[in-house]
Amino acid sequence: MPMSEPSTAGARFRAALNHERPLQIAGTVNAISALLARQAGFQAIYLSGSGVASTSHGLPDLGVTTLQDVVEDARRITAAVDLPLLVDADTGWGSSLMIERTVRELIRAGAAGLHLEDQIDAKRCGHRPGKQLVSAAEMSDRLKAALDARSDSSFVIMARTDAVAIEGMTAAIDRANQYVDVGAEMIFAEAVTSLEDYLRFTESVSVPVLANITEFGRTPLYSLDSLREAGVKLVLYPLTAFRAMNDAAARVYQTLRETGTQKDLIDMMQTRDELYSLLDYYRQEP
């Protein structure tokens, strides 16, 4: 008999990680993005805190959105697709009690897991200067709160460290190992700048390491093969489609404003039939 699908989102994420090495994770800012990622064949998807702030609220990624903002977008995505969703939980939005609530709410929203970071609560983009870190002990307390709050043991608790750009590689690896000792199941190594440093990370840390391959940041746009050779187990493209969508929309609006017609834009558009197929419209039409 064929093996049954894992029943929880966290279990599906772990199964995808075992099946695809490295596991490519597509950033999806909303439900339609998630449908497109599934159509392209991705096995896991991601909701970025920056994506929530930018897409849903028109705000910068400076720690201004709330748990409920993120949960609402996560719930919409998990309602649209069954792909396992990894969620950016920033610093957890507060005290240990708030972090516990964050875990419970995201499990209820159908997420597969989250990552917590070791920046101070007034966080900033991981590829910008001026980041500040909490102590490794304080970050460990964040992780302990998250781990203790799980009602589903398959829900993934990932630790992100921003220490590479601030304290250097050795300190970042030391932090990562402290987080693993507490119970972090995967490590998100932010703003790594060379394949050699990724290799140092993966050889020094006993759990899967994620590479954040975001455009216009500190990390070069390494190929999947190069990251595989460096021992990376998860490769994240957090806002790639979002940036392309924004650029396309800006061009469309400018063209409409300047020419007063969309006739020269048709070739770059998704057709009505393509959209209806993506949404399974025809089957559901009364």
Coordinates of all heavy atoms in Angstrom, one line a residue, residues 83-117:
L83 N 0.5 23.2 1.0 CA 1.9 23.2 1.1 C 2.3 23.6 2.5 O 1.7 24.6 3.1 CB 2.6 24.2 0.1 CG 2.5 23.8 -1.4 CD1 3.1 24.9 -2.2 CD2 3.2 22.4 -1.6
P84 N 3.3 23.1 3.1 CA 3.8 23.5 4.5 C 4.3 24.9 4.4 O 5.2 25.2 3.6 CB 4.8 22.5 4.9 CG 5.3 21.9 3.6 CD 4.2 21.9 2.6
L85 N 3.9 25.7 5.4 CA 4.2 27.1 5.4 C 5.1 27.4 6.6 O 4.7 27.2 7.8 CB 2.9 28.0 5.5 CG 3.1 29.5 5.7 CD1 3.7 30.1 4.4 CD2 1.8 30.2 6.1
L86 N 6.3 27.9 6.3 CA 7.2 28.4 7.4 C 6.9 29.9 7.5 O 6.8 30.7 6.6 CB 8.7 28.2 7.0 CG 9.7 28.7 7.9 CD1 9.7 28.0 9.2 CD2 11.1 28.6 7.2
V87 N 6.8 30.4 8.8 CA 6.4 31.8 9.1 C 7.5 32.5 9.8 O 8.1 32.0 10.8 CB 5.1 31.8 9.9 CG1 4.8 33.2 10.3 CG2 4.0 31.1 9.1
D88 N 7.8 33.7 9.3 CA 8.7 34.6 10.0 C 8.0 35.2 11.2 O 7.1 36.0 11.1 CB 9.1 35.7 9.0 CG 10.0 36.8 9.6 OD1 10.4 36.7 10.7 OD2 10.4 37.7 8.8
A89 N 8.5 34.9 12.4 CA 7.8 35.4 13.6 C 8.7 36.4 14.3 O 8.5 36.8 15.5 CB 7.6 34.2 14.6
D90 N 9.6 37.0 13.5 CA 10.4 38.1 14.1 C 11.0 37.7 15.4 O 11.6 36.7 15.5 CB 9.6 39.4 14.2 CG 9.3 40.0 12.8 OD1 10.0 39.7 11.8 OD2 8.4 40.9 12.7
T91 N 10.9 38.5 16.4 CA 11.4 38.2 17.7 C 10.4 37.6 18.7 O 10.7 37.4 19.9 CB 12.0 39.5 18.4 OG1 10.9 40.5 18.6 CG2 13.1 40.2 17.5
G92 N 9.2 37.3 18.1 CA 8.2 36.7 18.9 C 7.2 37.7 19.5 O 6.3 37.2 20.3
W93 N 7.3 38.9 19.3 CA 6.4 40.0 19.7 C 6.3 40.2 21.2 O 5.2 40.5 21.7 CB 5.0 39.7 19.1 CG 5.0 39.9 17.6 CD1 5.1 41.1 16.9 CD2 5.0 38.9 16.6 NE1 5.1 40.8 15.6 CE2 5.0 39.5 15.4 CE3 4.9 37.5 16.7 CZ2 5.0 38.8 14.2 CZ3 4.9 36.8 15.5 CH2 4.9 37.4 14.3
G94 N 7.4 39.9 21.9 CA 7.3 40.2 23.4 C 7.9 39.2 24.3 O 8.9 38.5 24.0
S95 N 7.3 39.1 25.4 CA 7.8 38.3 26.5 C 7.6 36.8 26.2 O 7.0 36.4 25.2 CB 7.0 38.6 27.8 OG 5.6 38.2 27.7
S96 N 8.0 35.9 27.1 CA 7.9 34.5 26.9 C 6.4 34.1 26.8 O 6.1 33.2 26.0 CB 8.5 33.7 28.1 OG 9.9 33.9 28.1
L97 N 5.5 34.8 27.5 CA 4.1 34.5 27.4 C 3.6 34.8 26.0 O 2.8 34.1 25.5 CB 3.3 35.3 28.5 CG 3.5 34.8 29.9 CD1 2.8 35.8 30.9 CD2 2.9 33.4 30.1
M98 N 4.1 35.9 25.4 CA 3.7 36.3 24.1 C 4.2 35.3 23.1 O 3.5 35.0 22.1 CB 4.1 37.7 23.8 CG 3.5 38.3 22.5 SD 1.7 38.5 22.7 CE 1.3 38.8 21.0
I99 N 5.4 34.9 23.3 CA 6.0 33.9 22.4 C 5.2 32.6 22.4 O 5.0 32.0 21.4 CB 7.5 33.6 22.7 CG1 8.3 34.9 22.3 CG2 8.1 32.4 21.9 CD1 9.7 34.9 22.8
E100 N 4.8 32.2 23.6 CA 4.0 31.0 23.7 C 2.7 31.2 22.9 O 2.2 30.2 22.2 CB 3.7 30.7 25.2 CG 4.9 30.2 26.0 CD 4.7 30.2 27.5 OE1 3.5 30.4 27.9 OE2 5.6 29.9 28.2
R101 N 2.1 32.3 23.1 CA 0.9 32.6 22.3 C 1.1 32.6 20.8 O 0.3 32.1 20.0 CB 0.3 33.9 22.7 CG -1.0 34.2 22.1 CD -1.6 35.6 22.4 NE -2.8 35.8 21.7 CZ -3.2 37.0 21.3 NH1 -2.5 38.1 21.6 NH2 -4.3 37.2 20.6
T102 N 2.3 33.1 20.4 CA 2.6 33.1 19.0 C 2.6 31.7 18.4 O 2.1 31.4 17.3 CB 4.0 33.8 18.8 OG1 3.9 35.1 19.1 CG2 4.5 33.6 17.4
V103 N 3.3 30.8 19.1 CA 3.3 29.4 18.7 C 1.9 28.8 18.6 O 1.5 28.2 17.6 CB 4.2 28.5 19.6 CG1 4.1 27.1 19.3 CG2 5.7 29.0 19.5
R104 N 1.1 29.0 19.6 CA -0.2 28.4 19.6 C -1.1 29.0 18.5 O -1.8 28.2 17.8 CB -0.9 28.7 21.0 CG -0.3 27.9 22.1 CD -1.2 28.0 23.4 NE -1.4 29.3 23.9 CZ -0.6 29.9 24.8 NH1 0.4 29.2 25.3 NH2 -0.9 31.2 25.2
E105 N -1.0 30.3 18.3 CA -1.8 30.9 17.2 C -1.4 30.4 15.8 O -2.2 30.2 14.9 CB -1.7 32.4 17.3 CG -2.4 33.0 18.5 CD -3.9 32.9 18.4 OE1 -4.5 33.0 17.3 OE2 -4.5 32.7 19.5
L106 N -0.1 30.3 15.6 CA 0.4 29.8 14.3 C 0.1 28.4 14.0 O -0.2 28.0 12.9 CB 1.9 30.1 14.1 CG 2.3 31.6 13.9 CD1 3.8 31.8 14.0 CD2 1.7 32.1 12.6
I107 N 0.1 27.5 15.1 CA -0.3 26.2 14.9 C -1.8 26.1 14.5 O -2.2 25.4 13.6 CB -0.1 25.3 16.2 CG1 1.4 25.1 16.4 CG2 -0.8 24.0 16.1 CD1 1.8 24.5 17.7
R108 N -2.6 26.9 15.2 CA -4.0 27.0 14.9 C -4.3 27.5 13.5 O -5.3 27.1 12.8 CB -4.8 27.9 15.9 CG -5.2 27.1 17.2 CD -6.2 27.9 17.9 NE -5.7 29.0 18.6 CZ -5.2 29.0 19.9 NH1 -5.3 27.9 20.6 NH2 -4.7 30.1 20.5
A109 N -3.4 28.4 13.0 CA -3.5 28.9 11.6 C -3.1 28.0 10.6 O -3.2 28.3 9.4 CB -2.7 30.2 11.5
G110 N -2.5 26.8 11.0 CA -2.1 25.8 10.0 C -0.7 25.9 9.5 O -0.3 25.3 8.5
A111 N 0.1 26.7 10.2 CA 1.5 26.9 9.7 C 2.3 25.6 10.1 O 1.9 24.9 11.0 CB 2.1 28.1 10.4
A112 N 3.4 25.4 9.4 CA 4.2 24.2 9.6 C 5.3 24.5 10.6 O 5.9 23.6 11.3 CB 4.9 23.8 8.3
G113 N 5.7 25.8 10.8 CA 6.7 26.1 11.7 C 7.0 27.6 11.7 O 6.4 28.4 10.9
L114 N 7.9 28.1 12.5 CA 8.3 29.5 12.6 C 9.8 29.6 12.8 O 10.5 28.7 13.2 CB 7.5 30.2 13.7 CG 7.7 29.7 15.1 CD1 9.1 30.1 15.8 CD2 6.6 30.3 16.0
H115 N 10.3 30.8 12.5 CA 11.7 31.1 13.0 C 11.6 32.3 13.9 O 10.9 33.3 13.6 CB 12.7 31.2 11.9 CG 12.5 32.4 10.9 ND1 12.8 33.7 11.2 CD2 12.0 32.4 9.6 CE1 12.5 34.4 10.2 NE2 12.0 33.7 9.2
L116 N 12.4 32.3 14.9 CA 12.6 33.4 15.9 C 14.0 33.9 15.7 O 14.9 33.1 15.5 CB 12.4 32.9 17.3 CG 11.0 32.6 17.7 CD1 11.0 31.9 19.1 CD2 10.1 33.9 17.8
E117 N 14.2 35.2 15.8 CA 15.5 35.8 15.6 C 16.1 36.4 16.9 O 15.4 36.6 17.9 CB 15.5 36.8 14.5 CG 14.6 38.0 14.8 CD 14.4 38.8 13.5 OE1 13.7 38.3 12.6 OE2 14.8 39.9 13.5

